[in-house]
Each structure stands twice: as C-alpha cells, then as structure tokens.
Amino acid sequence: MIGYGFMGAAHSQGWRVAPRFFDLPFEPRMSVIVGRDAARVEAAREKFGWESAATDWREVVAREDIDVIDICTPGDSHVEIALAALEAGKHVLCEKPLANTVEEAERMTLAAEKAAEHGVRAMVGFSYRRVPAVAFARQLIGDGRLGTIRQVRAQYLQDWLVDEDGPMTWRLDKDRAGSGSLGDIGAHAIDMVQYLTGTVLDSVSGTMHTFVTERPLLGESVGLSGTASDERGRVTVDDAAWFTARLSGGAIGSFEATRFATGRKNALRVEISGSAGALAFDLESMNELQFYDATEPAGQQGFKRIIVTEPEHPYMDSWWPTGHALGYEHAFSHEVRDFVLDIAAGREPSPSFADGLQVQRVLAAVERSAADGSAWTSTVPSTRK
Ligand code: SOE
C-alpha cells in the first residue's frame, strides 16, 4: 500500500479485517506500506499492522513477491504509480478520484485494459457503492421497483473549511488534488448516481466557487517541518460546486458538493425519483434507506425507513445479527472482499478504471461549464445595471 494518511488507515482496516469476516479464496498479506518519510511510515507500519515499511514505491512495485499495489496517495501521483504497477503485472486498487485530469485517467484506463488481457485487475476506490444500503438501493432499482427514473438529486455536504483560519492542505492545492470539493467529494456523488441508475451523466451545466482564497501555511499541513508560520497560501481549488445534469437514460439531475455546509459533517445524500417509487439515502444515517413505493394502495403510500441490517441485505450475512449497525470503515472491507474475489475469478472489478474515467470526464465538463459561466443570467433589470 502506497500512502499512509486517512485512506491509508482506512484501507489498512479493510485489508486487516476482510479476511476475518469473509471467506476469501486466498488470504491477502499486508506486506509493505510505503511513504516518503521513513520515521512516519515506520510508525504507520506498526500502528496499521503491515509486515514492513519502505520509502521507495518504485522498488516495491518491482518486487516479485508483491502481487497487488493499493494506491492511497493524493491524486497527483495516481497515474505514475498505476502505470508502473500495471506494467509490472500487479493488480491495482486506486483511490478516488482516479486521476487529476481526463488525459491521465485515459492513460490509466488504457493500461488497465491491456493488463486485463494478462489477468491483471484494476479497481477505483469509490467505496460508498459498498455501503449495504447503497448496494441494496441498486438492487431495488435494478429490479424495477422505481419504474422509469426521471430525476436524481445528489449532495455531498461537509463543513470542515468553514473556519477561514483553517490551514492550507494538499486538498486545497490544484496541482496536488486536481480540484476541490468537486473532485474530492463531488466525484462520490457522481459515481453513486451513475452506479445506482446504471446510466451516465451526458451533459452538465455548472458553477464553482471559492469562499476563502487564502489560508495559513502551517508546517504540518503542507509537509513543511517546524511550526506555524504567519504566511498564507493561496487556495487554488473550488470550495463548492453545483451543477445540473442530463443522464443517458433520460433523467435530469441536480448535484452539489461543498465543504461549507455548516453543520453537515459527511452528508452524502442521494434521492432518486421514479415513475413507480423513490429512494433516498444519507451517509450520516448510513444503515438506513428511505423507500417510497408508489404502487401501494392510495392512502397507504409513504417513505418507509428500511434498516439495512438483515442477512438478506448485501454483505450483512457476514457481520452481526439484525439491527447491529455498520460504520464508515466497513465499506473498505467490502471493497477488499470484492477486489480479491474479482482477482480470483478473473473478473473485471467494478468500479473499473473505465468507470473512474467516466467520472473524470464529468468533473472536467463541470469545470469547463463553470469557466464558461454562460449559464448565469442577470435578474437585474437592464435600467438598473
Ligand atoms: C474529504 O474530507 C474526504 O476525506 C474525502 O476525501 C473522502 O473521499 C470522503 O470519503 C470523506 O471526505
């Protein structure tokens, strides 16, 4: 595994726990964790339970005894690591978004398709597909329980940037992250809607905004050694993004991704409106799914709250008895389970790099639309301009 930040911790949990709860055709070995800072990556090795630590990812990718490379680094290094790993015949799990540009994502997808001819598999880590309530929603839609999908509305609301004195981080630097809330959390909303509806966003009209354009450069947060400085760095990404979309199945969608939704901590919300019913999910209540069946007798219809912890629900028969809820980290064990099963079965993982490329294309289209700005129409009467 390359990287040992938030995703490194979450993926380590996935690799550590999945073999304990799921019957896997082979047992993944947590061989080596990679990071540039020797002391820090050694500390992470001990804390997360890896056999060894290294500081040079190229050396690890070249090792004969390594079969899988798990990329948990910021987006600016995904393409270089993934291409090298696929070239070396390693299976690749790459965190989202797939890359920082469409061009990079195209190169990664081409390399993954070539590697697949030799049985090498690649998956992109949109882990929220593997929250049981989301996977169950996909089943209900696939079974036609919503009829024709007409509208989708998706939001990913966080508020960790509301304090304008919060420090610069790599997520606020376009060169490192590719974009701000749009690619970091908007990508999840896009992938979830495409996964749930089985359709893709064909065209978008969007806008992006940065509320706080400069932030304190704190040593830790930007990889500098030492303590706080009174210098400030420029925020080069969006703090929030909004867009409408037309989907390939004929539906229309509205999307929002923001880190300034005061009070919303990790609210990925999706509502799908169909001719025969509707579904609503909120990651802040991740064990529940709201389902409205419009075919029920008149006067008896209403959104019902399904607690998605039954053994019939996706993944749940391997965890606890009914009513015992899962958490954020369980989706990473499900991701490891499915990736290992795909590798063993010689199957293309889902989401594939091609799915990741499709999300990248939507992100780039929103950025082009926002840059163009032509969607804005003034409401000010011309006489008052
Ligand atoms: C942003 O704060 C973030 O960590 C995203 O990068 C993750 O993809 C999301 O799952 C949680 O929020």
Side-chain angles (χ1 to χ4, degrees):
M1 180 178 75
I2 301 168
Y4 55 92
F6 175 12
M7 284 302 113
H11 282 230
S12 299
Q13 169 105 353
W15 290 110
R16 213 171 38 241
V17 170
R20 303 284 174 277
F21 283 82
F22 296 97
D23 296 328
L24 300 181
F26 42 76
E27 165 123 5
R29 274 183 57 187
M30 297 172 67
S31 306
V32 55
I33 182 171
V34 185
R36 283 170 297 195
D37 181 310
R40 285 187 178 183
V41 73
E42 171 50 32
R45 180 202 64 73
E46 191 179 359
K47 184 176 181 181
F48 298 154
W50 291 80
E51 290 172 14
S52 66
T55 55
D56 180 345
W57 66 263
R58 288 177 185 76
E59 218 172 79
V60 171
V61 164
R63 278 170 48 174
E64 288 298 314
D65 65 330
I66 296 292
D67 302 302
V68 175
I69 294 293
D70 183 5
I71 303 174
C72 292
T73 56
D76 60 333
S77 55
H78 289 185
V79 60
E80 186 182 16
I81 299 171
L83 293 185
L86 290 166
E87 178 66 27
K90 313 299 182 189
H91 306 292
V92 174
L93 172 55
C94 181
E95 256 304 312
K96 45 54 65 181
L98 186 61
N100 279 2
T101 67
V102 168
E103 186 273 333
E104 289 175 348
E106 283 170 343
R107 283 194 284 141
M108 294 167 80
T109 302
L110 196 61
E113 286 164 356
K114 281 209 182 79
E117 290 162 16
H118 312 288
V120 174
R121 303 294 162 199
M123 178 191 270
V124 58
F126 285 109
S127 54
Y128 292 133
R129 290 183 175 212
R130 297 184 152 89
V131 169
V134 176
F136 179 52
R138 174 76 190 107
Q139 287 175 0
L140 289 172
I141 294 173
D143 292 346
R145 299 295 303 276
L146 266 56
T148 304
I149 307 296
R150 295 220 175 88
Q151 271 194 259
V152 301
R153 54 195 66 79
Q155 304 170 312
Y156 201 149
L157 311 176
Q158 293 180 340
D159 71 355
W160 56 280
L161 284 180
V162 167
D163 175 0
E164 54 200 40
D165 290 325
M168 276 301 288
T169 76
W170 66 265
R171 280 188 165 85
L172 307 183
D173 173 358
K174 187 170 180 60
D175 293 337
R176 298 295 312 281
S179 64
S181 61
L182 178 66
D184 183 29
I185 52 179
H188 281 296
I190 294 162
D191 178 70
M192 187 169 288
V193 164
Q194 295 188 143
Y195 165 65
L196 287 176
T197 62
T199 64
V200 294
L201 278 64
D202 274 340
S203 60
V204 295
S205 172
T207 190
M208 297 160 75
H209 186 71
T210 303
F211 296 102
V212 176
T213 55
E214 283 190 349
R215 289 182 177 272
L217 278 177
L218 291 193
E220 291 302 303
S221 62
V222 286
L224 305 174
S225 59
T227 55
S229 66
D230 56 7
E231 277 179 74
R232 298 177 78 81
R234 208 160 63 80
V235 172
T236 53
V237 296
D238 56 291
D239 285 330
W242 300 261
F243 58 98
T244 49
R246 294 188 184 286
L247 282 78
S248 56
I252 307 275
S254 57
F255 294 75
E256 177 184 2
T258 177
R259 293 153 166 172
F260 278 73
T262 313
R264 300 298 179 199
K265 300 307 172 184
N266 202 28
L268 170 54
R269 298 169 169 174
V270 176
E271 180 163 320
I272 314 274
S273 310
S275 58
L279 283 169
F281 170 76
D282 183 344
L283 185 61
E284 289 188 350
S285 303
M286 65 178 281
N287 289 277
E288 301 175 13
L289 185 66
Q290 302 286 335
F291 175 45
Y292 185 98
D293 182 346
T295 66
E296 286 185 343
Q300 295 175 33
Q301 298 173 10
F303 271 100
K304 64 178 165 185
R305 171 175 168 259
I306 301 174
I307 310 291
V308 189
T309 56
E310 297 304 309
E312 298 80 15
H313 289 136
Y315 306 103
M316 290 312 294
D317 59 351
S318 296
W319 295 104
W320 322 117
T322 177
H324 294 69
L326 299 191
Y328 168 77
E329 75 280 8
H330 289 84
F332 293 94
S333 292
H334 301 162
E335 189 169 76
V336 164
R337 169 198 179 271
D338 293 345
F339 189 43
V340 169
L341 292 179
D342 289 339
I343 291 170
R347 203 172 34 221
E348 167 99 326
S350 168
S352 64
F353 275 18
D355 294 323
L357 169 58
Q358 164 57 27
V359 172
Q360 214 72 41
R361 289 190 168 128
V362 175
L363 299 175
V366 173
E367 290 189 303
R368 286 197 302 275
S369 172
D372 169 65
S374 60
W376 288 103
T377 304
S378 168
T379 62
V380 176
S382 53
T383 50
R384 280 173 40 201
K385 267 203 173 144

